[in-house]
Amino acid sequence: MKKLLKLSFTAIAFTLIISMSAFAHSGRTDANGGHRDNKNVSGLGYYHYHHGYSAHLHPNGICPYASPASQPTEPSVTKNVEKTSLSDIKAYLNGNFIPSFNYNGATYIVAESLDKYGFDIDWDENSRELSIKRNIEKSIEPSLSENPTETYEIQNTDITAYLYDEATGEFAEILSYNIGGQTIIQLSSIGNTSWDSSARTISVSI
């Protein structure tokens, strides 16, 4: 009887060990300790990890079972974010006030705002190009507001801005940046510029 009980206990223990092993290592694992789960039996998607534990994922490439000491740490990097700055300079385009701000010591305006200053603004989504061309027949609706009262972060952009040159009859690329989905360009790139230091005004005439 004792021998039978001993055999039964051994069989149960062996079954438990096999079950635990199957749970911890369900299927063959690769060099990373994980494997594909094409039928998503685990509910974790089509690939998960084991390497000695139950099926799990590695959020952001980090194993939740790893000790804090083994976690990779990213060096602390301080990034200098470039921004526009507030300007007390009043900018005028063909005698009409136009909101502006300062960046790198130059006066910038929002290119899209030229739509109300006698320009046609054409945006090509496929080529990521913004074309600016003067239209003397277009009505002018200048802004009556003051300069922006907040600064804007200069963002990376794949957009290229072009200004139509009446002299050559062609579009020429001009310097531009992006601020919150809008394109900014130097006011001086549009036409002849004059500066009045005493009045703190900059005027562009075309």
Side-chain angles (χ1 to χ4, degrees):
M1 184 65 178
K2 291 182 178 180
K3 185 175 182 180
L4 182 60
L5 288 174
K6 185 176 181 181
L7 289 174
S8 298
F9 178 77
T10 302
I12 292 172
F14 181 74
T15 301
L16 287 173
I17 291 172
I18 294 298
S19 299
M20 289 176 65
S21 177
F23 183 65
H25 298 280
S26 176
R28 294 183 177 181
T29 57
D30 56 25
N32 296 317
H35 66 170
R36 294 187 62 81
D37 181 8
N38 293 325
K39 295 183 179 180
N40 195 21
V41 176
S42 66
L44 298 175
Y46 300 108
Y47 185 90
H48 59 253
Y49 298 87
H50 285 280
H51 54 79
Y53 302 95
S54 58
H56 62 280
L57 300 176
H58 286 183
N60 297 319
I62 300 175
C63 175
Y65 294 101
S67 63
S70 65
Q71 301 290 351
T73 57
E74 295 184 0
S76 177
V77 178
T78 301
K79 294 183 178 180
N80 294 322
V81 178
E82 294 190 358
K83 292 184 176 182
T84 62
S85 58
L86 304 182
S87 176
D88 65 335
I89 297 172
K90 299 292 185 181
Y92 294 89
L93 176 57
N94 289 330
N96 298 299
F97 172 81
I98 184 170
S100 65
F101 32 76
N102 184 281
Y103 176 60
N104 277 345
T107 299
Y108 280 77
I109 61 171
V110 174
E112 289 83 353
S113 69
L114 291 173
D115 178 63
K116 296 183 180 296
Y117 288 81
F119 287 80
D120 289 327
I121 309 298
D122 183 35
W123 164 245
D124 190 323
E125 176 68 32
N126 294 324
S127 63
R128 307 289 292 170
E129 294 178 350
L130 183 72
S131 300
I132 306 166
K133 184 178 182 180
R134 192 182 182 200
N135 182 350
I136 59 175
E137 297 181 356
K138 195 170 186 177
S139 60
I140 298 176
E141 303 172 14
S143 173
L144 299 178
S145 63
E146 297 296 317
N147 285 339
T149 57
E150 60 181 308
T151 60
Y152 298 90
E153 180 179 336
I154 302 296
Q155 301 170 339
N156 293 327
T157 179
D158 62 345
I159 297 172
T160 305
Y162 293 91
L163 178 67
Y164 185 76
D165 188 336
E166 297 286 351
T168 64
E170 297 179 350
F171 283 93
E173 182 179 349
I174 57 176
L175 180 65
S176 64
Y177 299 98
N178 180 277
I179 55 166
Q182 293 183 308
T183 302
I184 62 172
I185 60 175
Q186 285 192 37
L187 180 62
S188 60
S189 65
I190 300 177
N192 299 318
T193 305
S194 61
W195 163 248
D196 187 330
S197 58
S198 58
R200 301 288 292 169
T201 60
I202 183 172
S203 302
V204 171
S205 59
I206 306 173

